[in-house]
Amino acid sequence: MAEENRKLAIICSKGSLDMAYPGLVLANSALSYGIDVVMFFTFWGLDMVTKSKMNELKISPVGNTSMGMPNALAVIPGVTGMATSMMKGKIAKLDIPPVGEFLDMIVDAGGQLYGCKMSVDMMDLTKDKLYDGVIDIVSAGDFMDMSEGAQIIFI
Amino acid sequence: MAEENRKLAIICSKGSLDMAYPGLVLANSALSYGIDVVMFFTFWGLDMVTKSKMNELKISPVGNTSMGMPNALAVIPGVTGMATSMMKGKIAKLDIPPVGEFLDMIVDAGGQLYGCKMSVDMMDLTKDKLYDGVIDIVSAGDFMDMSEGAQIIFI
Amino acid sequence: MAEENRKLAIICSKGSLDMAYPGLVLANSALSYGIDVVMFFTFWGLDMVTKSKMNELKISPVGNTSMGMPNALAVIPGVTGMATSMMKGKIAKLDIPPVGEFLDMIVDAGGQLYGCKMSVDMMDLTKDKLYDGVIDIVSAGDFMDMSEGAQIIFI
């Protein structure tokens, strides 16, 4: 079990499938260790908690040297979809839930989810378009309050 | 107001418009809460404080699945410029200043800006090419000193 | 010298040459200041400690607006290789070691390296394919234990 009052504040700023999971996995692990978790979704990270997008996150082989695919091939229509399907298959095979279910688990375990006001405004979103588990839309200043004494992780 | 001596050390390693703003917004919010802020610009993040580039940062729809643009379309000449103009418009509409002005605000509020020596050397830069508010060019070791006791955020 | 028990926990999630070095440089600097360092390699970051890949990391000019290369040009076969060679040349010129040697230095200085179990499973890797200095393959929960009281940096 964690030291008393240990807290993790995770800023999720990316909306790709491969950069969504690290935040979800860290949040879930921390909660299971009795660590308080606040997640702050900002910029592209809002996609992770946008109802119409959260289960449709993609992975792009373009510009990702680790996927070992020549860029000239990776830009061909359909390749992003193919790479996304492959990664989703690998994730499911490891019994890791899709994004929406993973968020449910995190909320059930006590994780606190917030959307970033500036990003919500920039993307013309409203609270009703966000995942129901998002507590509120707050400012970066509010995040400063919430993350006092926390280990901050920016993804 | 923040607990006494709360400190944020933000490492900015990206030079794209969308990854420049999170650091600026967090720094500015922290300062307005009385939190000490050190910003360390390294690798591509040096673009944020390079005079000739800081107000010309771009956003690339290629390889960014959140922008929802097929890569085959996103690589067409002019599309990066178009996406950049659109995002700059949205930022301005929210009364968020351009990068240069935002840095002025942060410096005026007491934020401390440093360039990374290794990156400056790698990119053949010199201090006079950097934004005037950059206090000094320092090593990663110096950053270790400055970030003692801080919450570290790597962007 | 650092305050007693200062600890840095670095999560490396990227496998590109430009995002591998920040973690290596920070780890190395921290160790030279007497700070404890744990490195946790996850997702694409596993490439940094995969024997067959760690000295073949690449940099992609596609989707990287800081490299100033039009995407339509950057996707041409051979351009990624050319950009990679250029950056490797600049790194060598600054007397910064290649990834494998840099890891040796970090391990010799007491840095503790761990692979992420979920990512290892996802990528069908086994411990023998990883760099010998990797102590073990551990879960995100184990990382929570190791990072208690640490400054966490997610790259």
Side-chain angles (χ1 to χ4, degrees):
Chain A
M1 283 294 116
E3 66 184 16
E4 223 171 317
N5 297 327
R6 183 173 171 193
K7 187 159 64 170
L8 213 60
I10 305 175
I11 303 174
C12 297
S13 75
K14 308 286 191 312
S16 62
L17 193 63
D18 53 332
M19 284 301 116
Y21 273 95
L24 298 170
V25 170
L26 287 168
N28 189 54
S29 291
L31 288 163
S32 72
Y33 272 67
I35 300 167
D36 288 343
V37 172
V38 170
M39 298 184 84
F40 185 67
F41 298 89
T42 186
F43 279 80
W44 315 116
L46 272 179
D47 284 6
M48 292 172 63
V49 288
T50 299
K51 280 177 196 162
S52 61
K53 294 185 172 178
M54 63 195 215
N55 285 318
E56 310 293 336
L57 301 184
K58 290 183 180 61
I59 185 174
S60 172
V62 181
N64 180 344
T65 58
S66 293
M67 296 188 71
M69 192 184 288
N71 285 315
L73 178 63
V75 294
I76 294 174
V79 173
T80 292
M82 196 187 69
T84 301
S85 294
M86 273 183 56
M87 189 170 175
K88 281 192 173 179
K90 287 184 181 217
I91 288 168
K93 216 172 126 190
L94 294 175
D95 281 327
I96 303 165
V99 174
E101 274 180 51
F102 216 151
L103 289 171
D104 290 344
M105 282 170 52
I106 289 168
V107 168
D108 287 347
Q112 297 188 294
L113 276 48
Y114 294 92
C116 163
K117 176 148 177 43
M118 191 187 109
S119 309
V120 163
D121 289 347
M122 197 179 293
M123 299 182 186
D124 294 318
L125 285 167
T126 45
K127 190 163 181 326
D128 61 296
K129 287 181 184 153
L130 299 186
Y131 168 68
D132 292 330
V134 172
I135 298 174
D136 208 353
I137 295 168
V138 301
S139 69
D142 293 323
F143 173 76
M144 285 301 143
D145 263 344
M146 293 174 189
S147 61
E148 184 150 343
Q151 293 173 306
I152 302 182
I153 296 180
F154 184 98
I155 299 178
Chain B
M1 282 296 115
E3 64 185 16
E4 223 172 318
N5 298 326
R6 183 173 172 192
K7 186 159 66 171
L8 213 60
I10 305 176
I11 303 174
C12 297
S13 75
K14 308 286 192 310
S16 63
L17 191 64
D18 51 334
M19 285 300 117
Y21 273 94
L24 299 170
V25 171
L26 287 168
N28 189 54
S29 292
L31 288 163
S32 72
Y33 271 67
I35 301 167
D36 287 343
V37 172
V38 171
M39 299 183 84
F40 184 67
F41 298 89
T42 186
F43 278 80
W44 317 117
L46 273 178
D47 284 6
M48 292 172 62
V49 288
T50 300
K51 279 176 196 161
S52 61
K53 293 185 173 180
M54 63 195 216
N55 285 319
E56 308 296 336
L57 302 185
K58 290 183 179 60
I59 185 174
S60 172
V62 181
N64 180 345
T65 58
S66 292
M67 295 188 70
M69 192 184 288
N71 285 315
L73 178 63
V75 294
I76 295 174
V79 174
T80 293
M82 197 186 69
T84 301
S85 294
M86 273 183 56
M87 190 171 176
K88 282 192 172 178
K90 287 183 183 219
I91 288 168
K93 217 171 124 189
L94 293 175
D95 282 327
I96 302 164
V99 174
E101 274 181 50
F102 217 152
L103 289 171
D104 290 345
M105 281 170 52
I106 288 168
V107 168
D108 286 347
Q112 297 187 294
L113 277 46
Y114 295 93
C116 164
K117 174 147 179 44
M118 189 187 109
S119 308
V120 163
D121 289 347
M122 196 179 295
M123 299 183 186
D124 295 317
L125 285 167
T126 44
K127 190 161 182 325
D128 61 295
K129 289 181 184 153
L130 298 187
Y131 169 69
D132 292 331
V134 172
I135 298 175
D136 206 356
I137 295 168
V138 301
S139 70
D142 293 323
F143 174 75
M144 286 301 142
D145 264 343
M146 294 173 189
S147 61
E148 184 151 343
Q151 293 173 305
I152 302 182
I153 296 179
F154 184 99
I155 299 179
Chain C
M1 283 293 115
E3 65 184 18
E4 225 172 317
N5 298 326
R6 185 174 170 191
K7 186 158 65 170
L8 213 60
I10 305 175
I11 304 175
C12 297
S13 75
K14 308 286 191 312
S16 63
L17 192 63
D18 52 333
M19 284 300 117
Y21 272 94
L24 298 170
V25 171
L26 287 168
N28 189 54
S29 292
L31 289 163
S32 73
Y33 272 68
I35 301 168
D36 289 341
V37 172
V38 170
M39 299 183 84
F40 184 65
F41 298 90
T42 186
F43 278 81
W44 316 116
L46 273 178
D47 284 6
M48 292 172 62
V49 287
T50 300
K51 279 177 196 162
S52 61
K53 293 185 174 180
M54 64 195 214
N55 285 319
E56 309 295 335
L57 301 185
K58 290 183 180 61
I59 185 174
S60 171
V62 180
N64 181 345
T65 57
S66 292
M67 296 189 69
M69 192 183 289
N71 285 315
L73 178 64
V75 294
I76 294 174
V79 173
T80 292
M82 196 186 69
T84 301
S85 295
M86 272 183 55
M87 190 171 174
K88 281 192 171 179
K90 286 183 182 218
I91 288 169
K93 217 172 125 188
L94 294 175
D95 281 327
I96 302 164
V99 174
E101 273 181 51
F102 216 151
L103 288 171
D104 290 345
M105 282 169 52
I106 288 169
V107 168
D108 286 347
Q112 297 187 294
L113 277 45
Y114 294 94
C116 163
K117 175 148 177 43
M118 190 186 109
S119 308
V120 163
D121 290 347
M122 197 179 294
M123 299 183 185
D124 295 318
L125 285 167
T126 45
K127 190 163 182 325
D128 61 294
K129 288 181 185 153
L130 298 187
Y131 168 68
D132 292 331
V134 172
I135 298 175
D136 207 355
I137 295 168
V138 301
S139 69
D142 293 323
F143 174 75
M144 285 301 142
D145 263 344
M146 294 173 188
S147 60
E148 184 150 343
Q151 292 172 305
I152 302 183
I153 296 179
F154 184 98
I155 298 177

